[in-house]
Amino acid sequence: MSKKAMTVLLSAGLVFSSLPSAVLADPPPAGSPADQAFDNKVVKKISADRLFERVRDLSQSPREAGTQGEWQAVQYIKEQFESYGYQTELQPFTFQEWESGQPSISINDTPFTGGIHTFYGSINQNVEAPLYDAGLAGPEDVTDEADGKIALIERGGYSFYEKIQNAIDHGAVGVIMYNREGASGHTFGYTYDGQKIPAAAISREEGLKLAERIKEEPLTANLAIQGAGTVDKTSYNVIATMKAHKNKDTGQIVTIGAHHDSVADGPGANDDASGVSGVLELAEIMAKTPTDTELRFMTFGAEEKGLVGSYHYADSLSEPEAGRISAHFQMDMIGSRDSGDLIMFTPDGNKNLVTDLGAAAGARVAEVVEYGQLGRSDHVPFFERGIPSALFIHAPLEPWYHSPEDTLDKISREKLKETTEIVGAAVYQIARPDTPALENARVAPGPVHYEFDDRPL
Ligand code: BES
Ligand code: ZN
């Protein structure tokens, strides 16, 4: 931990066990006016309206990584940063995406008209063979009767790997899988290295119809997969930097991030236009607030493709640069009116500098914020580089995340504002130029207790 980071914790009374009690005498109770005054420079300026309007601007349509929708969002974010006076960098990177190609199915020479998705990793091949009902394709379900046939499989119960391997081991020449009970759509499925078979996914409704028909009459299926494969796509991180005040520079860096990409078919108002708006709001406010710490505001691309943008950013840091980053704050899904309370997640489930600062800021601004264990967002690559980091999110989650229903009408101005205030107050606590001098001051906030919380997602 850097000397400045340690000093900040001391002044916040967070490392109180090692301090003489005189230093901690009479801290004001959490949430008192003195506590709030301490944060006013940042907190008072945060605007719920501005936060909401940016979510509106960003959530007009999907922003899937590598698409025009993402590019428009990237331009918007860059223009916003620049309008606040920041030098802004676009950091491009490539990632691999699976393309379904042109899959087709026909049954007894009649073309299948439902949606078809090529399994990730499927081979390109055209096969024609009797259709065989393999049920769930568990070890007991598939027999040698599958030999030379196309297996019709219901999703669920076993892994994709097991199901497909059982079909291959019994001589099947193709796989058509329909969705599991309760699941809609047909976009799913993986084959693994060495499973050289054409495989496609269809909806549950269509699959059940075929399973019924097979009981009545023998069916011949044609399964043709062509043009499927991985393609390289480009996505971007957007990075705006505010240098420390010249005479006060501690050499320390704090990063504040969110991801701007969404899933393919959702406008991602909460996931994660909300977090992007929080990052932009803090950038706008901090642009006019001198600090002794360099602040880097960033939005990541291709988070939904496997944290690709944040891994790219973290991997691009030199050792000395990574060593200068004292804290990473990640905001992801911070504005749903239908989710639970704010929580701070760390990948290892341990407290760190970020959760300590977040809990202390929470107590001053609103309430104590608990912590828990979760990866699944862009704090992970920072954590893996040894940088204290945490994800600020509300849990339990709203049920429609990753769906077309993740829209602006379900966004709460209050949730956006409160979360951004807490993150802003926590960032400012470490970045404010007067922190060491506050060590003994009566306005310095008192210690807070916050606990591990394993609430469901
Ligand atoms: N905003 C979510 C994070 C999330 C999802 C947290 C569900 C908790 C529960 C994020 O955008 C996301 O969907 N992450 C991916 C991770 C991945 C692609 C590595 C996920 O969780 O599926
Ligand atoms: Zn997200």
Side-chain angles (χ1 to χ4, degrees), residues 255-258 326-332 334 343-359 369-372 374-375 377-383 387-393 423 450:
T255 51
I256 304 109
S326 311
H328 175 76
F329 293 81
Q330 178 73 16
M331 286 186 268
D332 192 354
I334 62 161
I343 184 164
M344 302 174 291
F345 284 123
T346 59
D348 63 354
N350 291 329
K351 294 179 176 181
N352 59 34
L353 173 65
V354 178
T355 60
D356 285 347
L357 290 167
V369 186
E370 311 295 7
Y371 73 106
L374 192 76
S377 191
D378 296 313
H379 57 313
V380 173
F382 288 81
F383 171 84
I387 298 165
S389 61
L391 164 66
F392 291 73
I393 191 169
V423 174
Y450 65 111

mmCIF file of all heavy atoms in Angstrom, residues 255-258 326-332 334 343-359 369-372 374-375 377-383 387-393 423 450:
data_model
loop_
_atom_site.group_PDB
_atom_site.id
_atom_site.type_symbol
_atom_site.label_atom_id
_atom_site.label_comp_id
_atom_site.label_asym_id
_atom_site.label_seq_id
_atom_site.Cartn_x
_atom_site.Cartn_y
_atom_site.Cartn_z
ATOM 1 N N THR A 255 -8.253 4.792 -10.557
ATOM 2 C CA THR A 255 -9.038 4.571 -11.777
ATOM 3 C C THR A 255 -10.507 4.336 -11.414
ATOM 4 O O THR A 255 -10.812 3.707 -10.390
ATOM 5 C CB THR A 255 -8.482 3.374 -12.583
ATOM 6 O OG1 THR A 255 -8.355 2.245 -11.710
ATOM 7 C CG2 THR A 255 -7.117 3.686 -13.173
ATOM 8 N N ILE A 256 -11.377 4.867 -12.270
ATOM 9 C CA ILE A 256 -12.826 4.750 -12.053
ATOM 10 C C ILE A 256 -13.424 4.260 -13.365
ATOM 11 O O ILE A 256 -13.258 4.918 -14.399
ATOM 12 C CB ILE A 256 -13.439 6.113 -11.666
ATOM 13 C CG1 ILE A 256 -12.744 6.692 -10.421
ATOM 14 C CG2 ILE A 256 -14.945 5.998 -11.399
ATOM 15 C CD1 ILE A 256 -11.880 7.869 -10.689
ATOM 16 N N GLY A 257 -14.097 3.085 -13.348
ATOM 17 C CA GLY A 257 -14.518 2.490 -14.610
ATOM 18 C C GLY A 257 -15.947 1.982 -14.634
ATOM 19 O O GLY A 257 -16.608 1.817 -13.590
ATOM 20 N N ALA A 258 -16.407 1.744 -15.860
ATOM 21 C CA ALA A 258 -17.702 1.103 -16.127
ATOM 22 C C ALA A 258 -17.555 0.475 -17.508
ATOM 23 O O ALA A 258 -16.595 0.780 -18.213
ATOM 24 C CB ALA A 258 -18.830 2.126 -16.126
ATOM 25 N N SER A 326 -3.498 2.988 -6.927
ATOM 26 C CA SER A 326 -3.828 2.599 -5.545
ATOM 27 C C SER A 326 -5.194 1.962 -5.436
ATOM 28 O O SER A 326 -5.458 1.267 -4.451
ATOM 29 C CB SER A 326 -3.867 3.826 -4.635
ATOM 30 O OG SER A 326 -2.748 4.592 -4.802
ATOM 31 N N ALA A 327 -6.073 2.268 -6.386
ATOM 32 C CA ALA A 327 -7.444 1.795 -6.225
ATOM 33 C C ALA A 327 -8.169 1.827 -7.573
ATOM 34 O O ALA A 327 -7.950 2.736 -8.368
ATOM 35 C CB ALA A 327 -8.186 2.702 -5.243
ATOM 36 N N HIS A 328 -9.027 0.802 -7.799
ATOM 37 C CA HIS A 328 -9.929 0.840 -8.956
ATOM 38 C C HIS A 328 -11.369 0.689 -8.465
ATOM 39 O O HIS A 328 -11.701 -0.274 -7.764
ATOM 40 C CB HIS A 328 -9.608 -0.265 -9.971
ATOM 41 C CG HIS A 328 -10.608 -0.304 -11.090
ATOM 42 N ND1 HIS A 328 -10.602 0.622 -12.111
ATOM 43 C CD2 HIS A 328 -11.690 -1.105 -11.322
ATOM 44 C CE1 HIS A 328 -11.619 0.373 -12.939
ATOM 45 N NE2 HIS A 328 -12.294 -0.667 -12.474
ATOM 46 N N PHE A 329 -12.206 1.636 -8.860
ATOM 47 C CA PHE A 329 -13.636 1.616 -8.527
ATOM 48 C C PHE A 329 -14.403 1.246 -9.789
ATOM 49 O O PHE A 329 -14.304 1.943 -10.792
ATOM 50 C CB PHE A 329 -14.089 3.006 -8.073
ATOM 51 C CG PHE A 329 -13.493 3.448 -6.768
ATOM 52 C CD1 PHE A 329 -12.198 3.977 -6.716
ATOM 53 C CD2 PHE A 329 -14.213 3.353 -5.588
ATOM 54 C CE1 PHE A 329 -11.649 4.398 -5.510
ATOM 55 C CE2 PHE A 329 -13.668 3.780 -4.382
ATOM 56 C CZ PHE A 329 -12.385 4.300 -4.338
ATOM 57 N N GLN A 330 -15.188 0.165 -9.765
ATOM 58 C CA GLN A 330 -15.967 -0.245 -10.938
ATOM 59 C C GLN A 330 -17.455 -0.064 -10.641
ATOM 60 O O GLN A 330 -17.959 -0.571 -9.633
ATOM 61 C CB GLN A 330 -15.675 -1.728 -11.255
ATOM 62 C CG GLN A 330 -16.469 -2.293 -12.418
ATOM 63 C CD GLN A 330 -15.992 -1.780 -13.772
ATOM 64 O OE1 GLN A 330 -14.886 -1.234 -13.880
ATOM 65 N NE2 GLN A 330 -16.804 -1.940 -14.794
ATOM 66 N N MET A 331 -18.147 0.665 -11.516
ATOM 67 C CA MET A 331 -19.600 0.827 -11.357
ATOM 68 C C MET A 331 -20.295 0.040 -12.463
ATOM 69 O O MET A 331 -20.089 0.312 -13.640
ATOM 70 C CB MET A 331 -19.981 2.308 -11.453
ATOM 71 C CG MET A 331 -19.597 3.094 -10.235
ATOM 72 S SD MET A 331 -20.214 4.793 -10.301
ATOM 73 C CE MET A 331 -18.825 5.614 -11.051
ATOM 74 N N ASP A 332 -21.097 -0.945 -12.078
ATOM 75 C CA ASP A 332 -21.791 -1.777 -13.064
ATOM 76 C C ASP A 332 -23.195 -2.043 -12.510
ATOM 77 O O ASP A 332 -23.325 -2.641 -11.439
ATOM 78 C CB ASP A 332 -21.007 -3.086 -13.253
ATOM 79 C CG ASP A 332 -21.471 -3.892 -14.457
ATOM 80 O OD1 ASP A 332 -22.472 -3.511 -15.079
ATOM 81 O OD2 ASP A 332 -20.818 -4.916 -14.757
ATOM 82 N N ILE A 334 -25.861 0.276 -11.598
ATOM 83 C CA ILE A 334 -26.019 1.096 -10.382
ATOM 84 C C ILE A 334 -27.341 1.865 -10.344
ATOM 85 O O ILE A 334 -27.507 2.722 -9.480
ATOM 86 C CB ILE A 334 -24.844 2.086 -10.206
ATOM 87 C CG1 ILE A 334 -24.771 3.086 -11.385
ATOM 88 C CG2 ILE A 334 -23.517 1.352 -10.033
ATOM 89 C CD1 ILE A 334 -23.961 4.336 -11.066
ATOM 90 N N ILE A 343 -23.952 -2.959 -2.890
ATOM 91 C CA ILE A 343 -22.962 -3.839 -2.262
ATOM 92 C C ILE A 343 -21.647 -3.688 -3.020
ATOM 93 O O ILE A 343 -21.659 -3.318 -4.203
ATOM 94 C CB ILE A 343 -23.462 -5.312 -2.221
ATOM 95 C CG1 ILE A 343 -22.467 -6.217 -1.474
ATOM 96 C CG2 ILE A 343 -23.755 -5.849 -3.619
ATOM 97 C CD1 ILE A 343 -23.042 -7.566 -1.052
ATOM 98 N N MET A 344 -20.537 -3.947 -2.322
ATOM 99 C CA MET A 344 -19.224 -3.873 -2.970
ATOM 100 C C MET A 344 -18.680 -5.293 -3.060
ATOM 101 O O MET A 344 -18.530 -5.966 -2.036
ATOM 102 C CB MET A 344 -18.270 -3.017 -2.129
ATOM 103 C CG MET A 344 -18.786 -1.612 -1.892
ATOM 104 S SD MET A 344 -17.748 -0.672 -0.755
ATOM 105 C CE MET A 344 -18.033 -1.515 0.798
ATOM 106 N N PHE A 345 -18.405 -5.743 -4.279
ATOM 107 C CA PHE A 345 -17.893 -7.098 -4.463
ATOM 108 C C PHE A 345 -16.401 -7.063 -4.788
ATOM 109 O O PHE A 345 -15.959 -6.264 -5.622
ATOM 110 C CB PHE A 345 -18.611 -7.797 -5.618
ATOM 111 C CG PHE A 345 -20.001 -8.266 -5.281
ATOM 112 C CD1 PHE A 345 -21.094 -7.837 -6.030
ATOM 113 C CD2 PHE A 345 -20.222 -9.168 -4.247
ATOM 114 C CE1 PHE A 345 -22.371 -8.284 -5.752
ATOM 115 C CE2 PHE A 345 -21.506 -9.624 -3.960
ATOM 116 C CZ PHE A 345 -22.579 -9.181 -4.714
ATOM 117 N N THR A 346 -15.677 -7.962 -4.147
ATOM 118 C CA THR A 346 -14.277 -8.163 -4.529
ATOM 119 C C THR A 346 -14.134 -9.608 -5.016
ATOM 120 O O THR A 346 -14.861 -10.493 -4.551
ATOM 121 C CB THR A 346 -13.322 -7.914 -3.336
ATOM 122 O OG1 THR A 346 -13.669 -8.811 -2.271
ATOM 123 C CG2 THR A 346 -13.427 -6.479 -2.845
ATOM 124 N N PRO A 347 -13.184 -9.849 -5.934
ATOM 125 C CA PRO A 347 -13.063 -11.210 -6.475
ATOM 126 C C PRO A 347 -12.695 -12.253 -5.418
ATOM 127 O O PRO A 347 -13.078 -13.409 -5.537
ATOM 128 C CB PRO A 347 -11.958 -11.074 -7.528
ATOM 129 C CG PRO A 347 -12.008 -9.639 -7.948
ATOM 130 C CD PRO A 347 -12.364 -8.879 -6.696
ATOM 131 N N ASP A 348 -11.960 -11.846 -4.375
ATOM 132 C CA ASP A 348 -11.561 -12.835 -3.356
ATOM 133 C C ASP A 348 -12.428 -12.781 -2.098
ATOM 134 O O ASP A 348 -12.209 -13.545 -1.157
ATOM 135 C CB ASP A 348 -10.081 -12.650 -2.976
ATOM 136 C CG ASP A 348 -9.815 -11.281 -2.345
ATOM 137 O OD1 ASP A 348 -10.735 -10.447 -2.303
ATOM 138 O OD2 ASP A 348 -8.670 -11.058 -1.918
ATOM 139 N N GLY A 349 -13.414 -11.884 -2.062
ATOM 140 C CA GLY A 349 -14.281 -11.796 -0.884
ATOM 141 C C GLY A 349 -13.602 -11.160 0.317
ATOM 142 O O GLY A 349 -14.123 -11.244 1.434
ATOM 143 N N ASN A 350 -12.450 -10.529 0.122
ATOM 144 C CA ASN A 350 -11.790 -9.814 1.223
ATOM 145 C C ASN A 350 -11.984 -8.315 1.080
ATOM 146 O O ASN A 350 -12.082 -7.795 -0.031
ATOM 147 C CB ASN A 350 -10.283 -10.108 1.232
ATOM 148 C CG ASN A 350 -9.995 -11.538 1.632
ATOM 149 O OD1 ASN A 350 -10.745 -12.144 2.412
ATOM 150 N ND2 ASN A 350 -8.938 -12.102 1.080
ATOM 151 N N LYS A 351 -11.976 -7.636 2.230
ATOM 152 C CA LYS A 351 -11.985 -6.172 2.212
ATOM 153 C C LYS A 351 -10.674 -5.672 1.607
ATOM 154 O O LYS A 351 -9.659 -6.366 1.646
ATOM 155 C CB LYS A 351 -12.069 -5.630 3.640
ATOM 156 C CG LYS A 351 -13.358 -5.940 4.359
ATOM 157 C CD LYS A 351 -13.293 -5.373 5.779
ATOM 158 C CE LYS A 351 -14.617 -5.585 6.491
ATOM 159 N NZ LYS A 351 -14.620 -5.030 7.844
ATOM 160 N N ASN A 352 -10.692 -4.477 1.067
ATOM 161 C CA ASN A 352 -9.448 -3.844 0.621
ATOM 162 C C ASN A 352 -9.611 -2.332 0.745
ATOM 163 O O ASN A 352 -10.636 -1.846 1.247
ATOM 164 C CB ASN A 352 -9.069 -4.293 -0.804
ATOM 165 C CG ASN A 352 -10.138 -3.955 -1.831
ATOM 166 O OD1 ASN A 352 -10.818 -2.933 -1.713
ATOM 167 N ND2 ASN A 352 -10.281 -4.799 -2.843
ATOM 168 N N LEU A 353 -8.629 -1.576 0.254
ATOM 169 C CA LEU A 353 -8.684 -0.123 0.365
ATOM 170 C C LEU A 353 -9.975 0.436 -0.241
ATOM 171 O O LEU A 353 -10.594 1.349 0.311
ATOM 172 C CB LEU A 353 -7.465 0.485 -0.352
ATOM 173 C CG LEU A 353 -7.458 2.005 -0.467
ATOM 174 C CD1 LEU A 353 -7.368 2.655 0.908
ATOM 175 C CD2 LEU A 353 -6.291 2.477 -1.344
ATOM 176 N N VAL A 354 -10.397 -0.130 -1.381
ATOM 177 C CA VAL A 354 -11.584 0.397 -2.071
ATOM 178 C C VAL A 354 -12.840 0.153 -1.245
ATOM 179 O O VAL A 354 -13.674 1.050 -1.083
ATOM 180 C CB VAL A 354 -11.719 -0.230 -3.481
ATOM 181 C CG1 VAL A 354 -12.966 0.266 -4.178
ATOM 182 C CG2 VAL A 354 -10.481 0.087 -4.311
ATOM 183 N N THR A 355 -12.981 -1.038 -0.687
ATOM 184 C CA THR A 355 -14.185 -1.307 0.119
ATOM 185 C C THR A 355 -14.153 -0.495 1.410
ATOM 186 O O THR A 355 -15.193 -0.022 1.875
ATOM 187 C CB THR A 355 -14.361 -2.809 0.421
ATOM 188 O OG1 THR A 355 -13.223 -3.285 1.147
ATOM 189 C CG2 THR A 355 -14.514 -3.621 -0.855
ATOM 190 N N ASP A 356 -12.960 -0.319 1.993
ATOM 191 C CA ASP A 356 -12.861 0.513 3.208
ATOM 192 C C ASP A 356 -13.324 1.941 2.907
ATOM 193 O O ASP A 356 -14.109 2.530 3.655
ATOM 194 C CB ASP A 356 -11.419 0.555 3.720
ATOM 195 C CG ASP A 356 -10.993 -0.741 4.409
ATOM 196 O OD1 ASP A 356 -11.873 -1.574 4.705
ATOM 197 O OD2 ASP A 356 -9.781 -0.918 4.647
ATOM 198 N N LEU A 357 -12.814 2.479 1.795
ATOM 199 C CA LEU A 357 -13.202 3.857 1.438
ATOM 200 C C LEU A 357 -14.685 3.924 1.076
ATOM 201 O O LEU A 357 -15.375 4.886 1.420
ATOM 202 C CB LEU A 357 -12.360 4.338 0.246
ATOM 203 C CG LEU A 357 -10.874 4.588 0.543
ATOM 204 C CD1 LEU A 357 -10.089 4.736 -0.756
ATOM 205 C CD2 LEU A 357 -10.711 5.833 1.408
ATOM 206 N N GLY A 358 -15.183 2.903 0.374
ATOM 207 C CA GLY A 358 -16.602 2.875 -0.029
ATOM 208 C C GLY A 358 -17.515 2.795 1.184
ATOM 209 O O GLY A 358 -18.535 3.486 1.254
ATOM 210 N N ALA A 359 -17.170 1.938 2.153
ATOM 211 C CA ALA A 359 -18.014 1.796 3.349
ATOM 212 C C ALA A 359 -18.017 3.096 4.149
ATOM 213 O O ALA A 359 -19.066 3.547 4.637
ATOM 214 C CB ALA A 359 -17.514 0.644 4.212
ATOM 215 N N VAL A 369 -22.310 0.397 3.622
ATOM 216 C CA VAL A 369 -22.440 -0.500 2.476
ATOM 217 C C VAL A 369 -21.662 -1.765 2.800
ATOM 218 O O VAL A 369 -20.491 -1.690 3.171
ATOM 219 C CB VAL A 369 -21.873 0.180 1.207
ATOM 220 C CG1 VAL A 369 -22.128 -0.683 -0.019
ATOM 221 C CG2 VAL A 369 -22.479 1.571 1.020
ATOM 222 N N GLU A 370 -22.289 -2.921 2.664
ATOM 223 C CA GLU A 370 -21.609 -4.181 2.971
ATOM 224 C C GLU A 370 -20.774 -4.644 1.778
ATOM 225 O O GLU A 370 -20.854 -4.068 0.697
ATOM 226 C CB GLU A 370 -22.622 -5.270 3.343
ATOM 227 C CG GLU A 370 -23.649 -4.862 4.381
ATOM 228 C CD GLU A 370 -23.084 -4.556 5.766
ATOM 229 O OE1 GLU A 370 -21.848 -4.516 5.946
ATOM 230 O OE2 GLU A 370 -23.898 -4.326 6.678
ATOM 231 N N TYR A 371 -19.993 -5.694 2.007
ATOM 232 C CA TYR A 371 -19.170 -6.222 0.913
ATOM 233 C C TYR A 371 -19.429 -7.710 0.753
ATOM 234 O O TYR A 371 -19.994 -8.361 1.633
ATOM 235 C CB TYR A 371 -17.678 -5.945 1.173
ATOM 236 C CG TYR A 371 -17.070 -6.800 2.257
ATOM 237 C CD1 TYR A 371 -16.209 -7.846 1.934
ATOM 238 C CD2 TYR A 371 -17.368 -6.584 3.594
ATOM 239 C CE1 TYR A 371 -15.656 -8.652 2.917
ATOM 240 C CE2 TYR A 371 -16.826 -7.379 4.583
ATOM 241 C CZ TYR A 371 -15.971 -8.414 4.242
ATOM 242 O OH TYR A 371 -15.444 -9.211 5.217
ATOM 243 N N GLY A 372 -19.052 -8.244 -0.404
ATOM 244 C CA GLY A 372 -19.258 -9.664 -0.680
ATOM 245 C C GLY A 372 -18.252 -10.138 -1.709
ATOM 246 O O GLY A 372 -17.328 -9.397 -2.068
ATOM 247 N N LEU A 374 -17.573 -11.556 -5.506
ATOM 248 C CA LEU A 374 -18.011 -11.803 -6.885
ATOM 249 C C LEU A 374 -16.987 -11.243 -7.861
ATOM 250 O O LEU A 374 -16.411 -10.177 -7.626
ATOM 251 C CB LEU A 374 -19.369 -11.120 -7.159
ATOM 252 C CG LEU A 374 -20.059 -11.536 -8.461
ATOM 253 C CD1 LEU A 374 -20.700 -12.913 -8.354
ATOM 254 C CD2 LEU A 374 -21.125 -10.520 -8.881
ATOM 255 N N GLY A 375 -16.788 -11.985 -8.949
ATOM 256 C CA GLY A 375 -15.997 -11.483 -10.078
ATOM 257 C C GLY A 375 -16.982 -10.909 -11.091
ATOM 258 O O GLY A 375 -17.733 -10.003 -10.783
ATOM 259 N N SER A 377 -17.083 -8.869 -13.496
ATOM 260 C CA SER A 377 -17.074 -7.528 -14.086
ATOM 261 C C SER A 377 -15.623 -7.038 -14.176
ATOM 262 O O SER A 377 -14.685 -7.789 -13.874
ATOM 263 C CB SER A 377 -17.967 -6.574 -13.290
ATOM 264 O OG SER A 377 -18.138 -5.364 -14.030
ATOM 265 N N ASP A 378 -15.453 -5.785 -14.591
ATOM 266 C CA ASP A 378 -14.126 -5.293 -14.965
ATOM 267 C C ASP A 378 -13.193 -4.994 -13.790
ATOM 268 O O ASP A 378 -12.072 -4.532 -14.010
ATOM 269 C CB ASP A 378 -14.277 -4.024 -15.810
ATOM 270 C CG ASP A 378 -14.984 -4.300 -17.113
ATOM 271 O OD1 ASP A 378 -14.619 -5.284 -17.780
ATOM 272 O OD2 ASP A 378 -15.920 -3.548 -17.467
ATOM 273 N N HIS A 379 -13.634 -5.227 -12.566
ATOM 274 C CA HIS A 379 -12.701 -5.083 -11.434
ATOM 275 C C HIS A 379 -11.723 -6.252 -11.381
ATOM 276 O O HIS A 379 -10.663 -6.149 -10.771
ATOM 277 C CB HIS A 379 -13.464 -4.955 -10.111
ATOM 278 C CG HIS A 379 -14.388 -6.107 -9.822
ATOM 279 N ND1 HIS A 379 -15.264 -6.627 -10.748
ATOM 280 C CD2 HIS A 379 -14.551 -6.877 -8.700
ATOM 281 C CE1 HIS A 379 -15.932 -7.631 -10.206
ATOM 282 N NE2 HIS A 379 -15.510 -7.799 -8.973
ATOM 283 N N VAL A 380 -12.078 -7.378 -12.040
ATOM 284 C CA VAL A 380 -11.268 -8.600 -11.936
ATOM 285 C C VAL A 380 -9.840 -8.420 -12.493
ATOM 286 O O VAL A 380 -8.868 -8.741 -11.803
ATOM 287 C CB VAL A 380 -11.992 -9.799 -12.608
ATOM 288 C CG1 VAL A 380 -11.095 -11.025 -12.657
ATOM 289 C CG2 VAL A 380 -13.293 -10.114 -11.879
ATOM 290 N N PRO A 381 -9.677 -7.900 -13.744
ATOM 291 C CA PRO A 381 -8.304 -7.753 -14.256
ATOM 292 C C PRO A 381 -7.438 -6.827 -13.410
ATOM 293 O O PRO A 381 -6.225 -7.047 -13.299
ATOM 294 C CB PRO A 381 -8.516 -7.161 -15.661
ATOM 295 C CG PRO A 381 -9.900 -7.545 -16.042
ATOM 296 C CD PRO A 381 -10.682 -7.550 -14.773
ATOM 297 N N PHE A 382 -8.035 -5.818 -12.784
ATOM 298 C CA PHE A 382 -7.273 -4.923 -11.908
ATOM 299 C C PHE A 382 -6.824 -5.695 -10.658
ATOM 300 O O PHE A 382 -5.684 -5.627 -10.239
ATOM 301 C CB PHE A 382 -8.125 -3.713 -11.503
ATOM 302 C CG PHE A 382 -8.346 -2.747 -12.638
ATOM 303 C CD1 PHE A 382 -9.325 -2.972 -13.593
ATOM 304 C CD2 PHE A 382 -7.555 -1.609 -12.764
ATOM 305 C CE1 PHE A 382 -9.514 -2.102 -14.651
ATOM 306 C CE2 PHE A 382 -7.735 -0.729 -13.815
ATOM 307 C CZ PHE A 382 -8.721 -0.976 -14.760
ATOM 308 N N PHE A 383 -7.771 -6.426 -10.096
ATOM 309 C CA PHE A 383 -7.472 -7.253 -8.924
ATOM 310 C C PHE A 383 -6.332 -8.227 -9.240
ATOM 311 O O PHE A 383 -5.406 -8.396 -8.443
ATOM 312 C CB PHE A 383 -8.739 -8.025 -8.514
ATOM 313 C CG PHE A 383 -8.513 -9.051 -7.461
ATOM 314 C CD1 PHE A 383 -8.497 -8.700 -6.122
ATOM 315 C CD2 PHE A 383 -8.290 -10.377 -7.812
ATOM 316 C CE1 PHE A 383 -8.265 -9.652 -5.142
ATOM 317 C CE2 PHE A 383 -8.065 -11.336 -6.840
ATOM 318 C CZ PHE A 383 -8.049 -10.973 -5.506
ATOM 319 N N ILE A 387 -4.044 -4.738 -7.885
ATOM 320 C CA ILE A 387 -4.585 -3.413 -7.567
ATOM 321 C C ILE A 387 -5.854 -3.586 -6.720
ATOM 322 O O ILE A 387 -6.762 -4.320 -7.132
ATOM 323 C CB ILE A 387 -4.916 -2.652 -8.882
ATOM 324 C CG1 ILE A 387 -3.630 -2.451 -9.697
ATOM 325 C CG2 ILE A 387 -5.626 -1.332 -8.588
ATOM 326 C CD1 ILE A 387 -3.869 -2.051 -11.145
ATOM 327 N N PRO A 388 -5.932 -2.932 -5.549
ATOM 328 C CA PRO A 388 -7.170 -3.029 -4.768
ATOM 329 C C PRO A 388 -8.348 -2.559 -5.630
ATOM 330 O O PRO A 388 -8.291 -1.472 -6.214
ATOM 331 C CB PRO A 388 -6.939 -2.067 -3.597
ATOM 332 C CG PRO A 388 -5.454 -1.919 -3.506
ATOM 333 C CD PRO A 388 -4.927 -2.074 -4.913
ATOM 334 N N SER A 389 -9.384 -3.368 -5.735
ATOM 335 C CA SER A 389 -10.489 -2.985 -6.614
ATOM 336 C C SER A 389 -11.785 -3.592 -6.102
ATOM 337 O O SER A 389 -11.771 -4.591 -5.377
ATOM 338 C CB SER A 389 -10.225 -3.464 -8.044
ATOM 339 O OG SER A 389 -10.126 -4.863 -8.071
ATOM 340 N N ALA A 390 -12.898 -2.959 -6.463
ATOM 341 C CA ALA A 390 -14.206 -3.496 -6.082
ATOM 342 C C ALA A 390 -15.251 -3.067 -7.091
ATOM 343 O O ALA A 390 -15.111 -2.048 -7.769
ATOM 344 C CB ALA A 390 -14.608 -3.028 -4.677
ATOM 345 N N LEU A 391 -16.291 -3.914 -7.166
ATOM 346 C CA LEU A 391 -17.440 -3.677 -8.034
ATOM 347 C C LEU A 391 -18.562 -3.089 -7.188
ATOM 348 O O LEU A 391 -18.955 -3.688 -6.180
ATOM 349 C CB LEU A 391 -17.879 -5.014 -8.648
ATOM 350 C CG LEU A 391 -19.261 -5.113 -9.281
ATOM 351 C CD1 LEU A 391 -19.340 -4.216 -10.518
ATOM 352 C CD2 LEU A 391 -19.561 -6.567 -9.663
ATOM 353 N N PHE A 392 -19.086 -1.931 -7.579
ATOM 354 C CA PHE A 392 -20.235 -1.315 -6.912
ATOM 355 C C PHE A 392 -21.478 -1.657 -7.735
ATOM 356 O O PHE A 392 -21.587 -1.276 -8.897
ATOM 357 C CB PHE A 392 -20.041 0.206 -6.788
ATOM 358 C CG PHE A 392 -18.957 0.576 -5.813
ATOM 359 C CD1 PHE A 392 -17.627 0.394 -6.131
ATOM 360 C CD2 PHE A 392 -19.277 1.070 -4.551
ATOM 361 C CE1 PHE A 392 -16.613 0.702 -5.214
ATOM 362 C CE2 PHE A 392 -18.275 1.388 -3.625
ATOM 363 C CZ PHE A 392 -16.946 1.202 -3.966
ATOM 364 N N ILE A 393 -22.415 -2.386 -7.130
ATOM 365 C CA ILE A 393 -23.577 -2.931 -7.853
ATOM 366 C C ILE A 393 -24.705 -3.095 -6.836
ATOM 367 O O ILE A 393 -24.445 -3.152 -5.628
ATOM 368 C CB ILE A 393 -23.180 -4.295 -8.501
ATOM 369 C CG1 ILE A 393 -24.222 -4.806 -9.497
ATOM 370 C CG2 ILE A 393 -22.855 -5.347 -7.459
ATOM 371 C CD1 ILE A 393 -23.741 -6.010 -10.340
ATOM 372 N N VAL A 423 -19.427 6.595 -4.484
ATOM 373 C CA VAL A 423 -18.153 6.363 -5.182
ATOM 374 C C VAL A 423 -17.367 7.679 -5.265
ATOM 375 O O VAL A 423 -16.156 7.708 -5.034
ATOM 376 C CB VAL A 423 -18.379 5.724 -6.572
ATOM 377 C CG1 VAL A 423 -17.072 5.626 -7.352
ATOM 378 C CG2 VAL A 423 -19.007 4.340 -6.420
ATOM 379 N N TYR A 450 -18.307 -2.569 8.664
ATOM 380 C CA TYR A 450 -19.146 -3.107 7.593
ATOM 381 C C TYR A 450 -18.817 -4.576 7.459
ATOM 382 O O TYR A 450 -17.719 -5.009 7.789
ATOM 383 C CB TYR A 450 -18.954 -2.321 6.294
ATOM 384 C CG TYR A 450 -17.582 -2.397 5.656
ATOM 385 C CD1 TYR A 450 -17.389 -3.065 4.457
ATOM 386 C CD2 TYR A 450 -16.471 -1.796 6.253
ATOM 387 C CE1 TYR A 450 -16.137 -3.136 3.849
ATOM 388 C CE2 TYR A 450 -15.219 -1.867 5.660
ATOM 389 C CZ TYR A 450 -15.059 -2.530 4.470
ATOM 390 O OH TYR A 450 -13.825 -2.596 3.882
#
